[in-house]
Every structure is written in structure tokens, then in C-alpha cells.
Amino acid sequence: MSAVVIDGKAMALSLRAELARKAAAFTARAGRPPSLAAVLVGDDPASAIYVRNKGVAARAAGFDSVEHHLPASTGQKNLMALVARLNADPRVDGILVQLPLPDGLDSGAVLIAVDPAKDVDGFHPLNVGRLALGEPACVPCTPQGCLIMLRHQLGDLTGREAVVIGRSGIVGRPMAALLVRENCTVTIAHSRTRGLAEVCRRGDILIAAAGRPELVRGDWIKPGATVIDVGINRLPAGIGKSRLVGDVCFAEAVQVAGAITPVPGGVGPMTIACLLANTLACACRRTGIDEERLLAGRPRP
Ligand code: NDP
């Protein structure tokens, strides 16, 4: 058996196209585009690339996107002052603070300072709590992208057995909360889990978010299961070269799973698309515009 390979790139492109149509309709109604403010502190090259890619994607979809780049020497007070300014700016709908922050800065204090109504990353404790309670919330982008792919592949998820490897606040925990909201029976596994392979074999749905290259082997997977590989691991591949692998051994898993996301080209592209979706949702809530009706009466392209 060879699994269906879920094309996250194509799904993200189609979601971004829909968001661009919605952003145009929002701009016509509100008199301004939905707007995202990104805060980058320091010179971490990976963070700079992430922030740049998010800005490019936002502008390509007709959003306004402003990047605030502060030096690594920025103090907590100045960073908090910038967040307070963005909170108070009526033209800013979404704020993201790129993590990790340089040593010496308290990321918890910064994240709690972001207005929960502009919290497009879904990291504010109020949004974390709302998600845990099953209430409407800003949901972290990566698990939201995973859920869209699962729904697309499986339809209604009710009653399915789901196993999530990883319990971080960015991926594992919110992913598990979303799956509970979808009426799945959820197991969260982590580095202290005993008999991980056995636990994984229970999953009709298996989400791998451990940050361990090719941790999940083919014989850990229930035949026919849907496997979402969140991991992004860079391995050396010859002199001066590297390759990306996920947390799942793709070559083995594709023989057993019913469907699987590749790395790259699976979860990654959906994460940025979901950031735009969150920004538009915040913009609509803040302006009282009904997102559901944004495209009403408009012909589909
Ligand atoms: P963290 O390091 O914050 O969390 C990793 C989790 O995996 C922890 O809960 C840890 O357990 C668990 N874990 C680690 N090793 C094992 C193991 N051998 N067996 C079982 N559980 C294990 O990582 P993140 O959640 O931030 O990210 C996870 C992966 O997803 C990374 O590869 C990251 O690059 C990727 N990622 C991809 C994104 C995308 O857009 N595609 C976005 C965000 C992340 P414990 O809690 O016990 O330490």
C-alpha cells in the first residue's frame, strides 16, 4: 500500500487565494487592508527569514504588513513599549512577536502583553485558556493548519483515536485541544512516555511534533492511519549541504499510512496561510465586519 501524500503547498496556495479575495472585500468595506505587525528582536537568521516570509505572504494577499526590527541589545522596557504602541494602534489588527527572543528578554511577559484580540499566534494565556475550554479563540497557526489538512483528508473527525507526539505550547498542546474539540479521543505523548511505538499504533490520526529526525518508524503506524508530520529537522547531506526531514521516516511510513504529509511541502506552508487567516479574523472581529459574509454575492474566480 502507498499512502496518499497530502499536498500542503497546494492547499496553502488555495487558502491564500481565498484569503486574498477576502482581504480585498475587507479593504473595500473597511477602507483599509487587514494589517499585521511583526516584531523581530536580534539577528537570528532563521527568525529573520520567517518574519520576511510572513511579510511577503501577507503583502501578496493584499494585507498591510509592517516589520519592526529591534537590535539584540533592546531592553525589556523598550520591547514592552513597542507592544503597547501596537496594541493601541487602531490600524493594527494582528501582532506577532517572533520567538525565540534573545537571552535576557522575558518572552512570557511579552506574550501576555499582546492584546488578546490581536494575538494572531494564539500564544496569549487568555486564548490558550479559551481553546482549552473549547471556546472561540485565536488558535496557534501550525496546529490550525494541521487540522485543516485532517478535515480535508478525513471529513468529520468524530470518534477517531488521535495520538499527538509533543506537548509544547506552540504545537502539541493546542493540537490536542483542537482534536478534543473535534470529538477525537486524544493521547498526548512526550519524552517521558513509555512504549511510544505501541502508543502511536493506536492512532487513526498520528501527529508527530517532537523535533526528532525520523523518530516515527513505519511499524509505529496503524495501517491506514493519517500521519501529519510537523517536524522540521535539518540533517547534513554532504559537504556544505543539508536536507530537511520530518519527525517521521517518510520512506517507511508511506508504505503503511493511509495518508501522510511530506517534509518539506506539508505542514510548513499551511502555517503561514493560517497566520493570514488569523489576521483577517482579528481584523473582522475588531471592525465588526462579518467574515462569513465577506465573499457573499461575489463570483468565484
Ligand atoms: P519543542 O522542542 O518545544 O517540543 C518537543 C516536544 O516533543 C516536547 O513535548 C518533548 O517532550 C517531545 N519529545 C522530544 N523528544 C521526544 C521523544 N524522543 N519521544 C517523544 N516525545 C519527544 O518543539 P516544538 O513543539 O516547538 O516543535 C516540534 C517540531 O515541529 C520541531 O521539529 C519544529 O521545528 C517543528 N515545527 C514546525 C512548524 C511548521 O510550521 N511546520 C512550526 C513549529 C514547529 P517533553 O515535553 O517531555 O520534553
Side-chain angles (χ1 to χ4, degrees):
M1 190 171 82
S2 192
V4 170
V5 178
I6 301 172
D7 188 345
K9 233 175 171 173
M11 286 184 69
L13 274 178
S14 121
L15 179 54
R16 280 164 63 170
E18 185 187 326
L19 288 163
R21 291 195 296 277
K22 286 186 171 177
F26 176 92
T27 306
R29 291 274 300 278
R32 64 163 183 87
S35 141
L36 175 66
V39 178
L40 172 66
V41 188
D43 302 308
D44 177 54
S47 293
I49 291 171
Y50 289 143
V51 168
R52 199 178 57 224
N53 289 347
K54 289 169 187 176
V56 167
R59 284 186 287 275
F63 289 56
D64 190 24
S65 171
V66 180
E67 284 131 45
H68 299 266
H69 191 176
L70 303 178
S73 58
T74 301
Q76 186 81 23
K77 212 169 136 199
N78 284 348
L79 179 55
M80 299 295 266
L82 172 60
V83 170
R85 250 196 349 268
L86 297 173
N87 281 344
D89 187 339
R91 292 160 306 175
V92 172
D93 297 303
I95 302 169
L96 77 84
V97 180
Q98 185 65 42
L99 300 177
L101 293 173
D103 287 348
L105 291 172
D106 179 352
S107 52
V110 176
L111 295 182
I112 207 170
V114 171
D115 179 349
K118 298 186 177 187
D119 174 31
V120 282
D121 268 334
F123 294 160
H124 191 287
L126 192 76
N127 283 315
V128 175
R130 282 183 180 148
L131 176 61
L133 291 170
E135 291 174 6
C138 281
V139 175
C141 303
T142 300
Q144 198 182 327
C146 296
L147 181 62
I148 293 172
M149 289 194 282
L150 282 171
R151 282 218 201 102
H152 181 261
Q153 190 59 34
L154 297 171
D156 185 7
L157 304 183
T158 297
R160 306 224 186 216
E161 194 85 41
V163 177
V164 180
I165 312 176
R167 54 177 166 178
S168 74
I170 295 175
V171 189
R173 283 173 203 259
M175 186 74 248
L178 281 175
L179 290 167
V180 169
R181 205 171 74 178
E182 297 294 311
N183 301 314
C184 291
T185 304
V186 182
T187 302
I188 304 179
H190 45 76
S191 67
R192 310 294 178 89
T193 297
R194 291 188 191 147
L196 183 59
E198 195 56 47
V199 170
C200 289
R201 275 193 287 272
R202 292 210 295 261
D204 304 311
I205 293 169
L206 178 60
I207 313 278
R212 297 283 178 267
E214 300 185 330
L215 171 73
V216 176
R217 311 309 304 192
D219 63 357
W220 294 25
I221 294 167
K222 179 175 178 176
T226 300
V227 178
I228 306 288
D229 190 353
V230 183
I232 302 178
N233 310 286
R234 196 169 284 281
L235 295 184
I239 300 157
K241 291 190 178 161
S242 65
R243 67 187 177 104
L244 287 185
V245 299
D247 288 353
V248 178
C249 177
F250 186 86
E252 291 177 14
V254 78
Q255 307 298 326
V256 186
I260 183 167
T261 59
V263 178
V267 173
M270 287 299 286
T271 296
I272 291 192
C274 288
L275 174 69
L276 303 186
N278 278 355
T279 304
L280 183 76
C282 287
C284 287
R285 274 196 297 273
R286 295 185 60 253
T287 51
I289 291 174
D290 183 354
E291 187 184 344
E292 296 297 313
R293 297 187 52 79
L294 267 181
L295 298 183
R298 282 168 188 254
R300 284 184 66 83

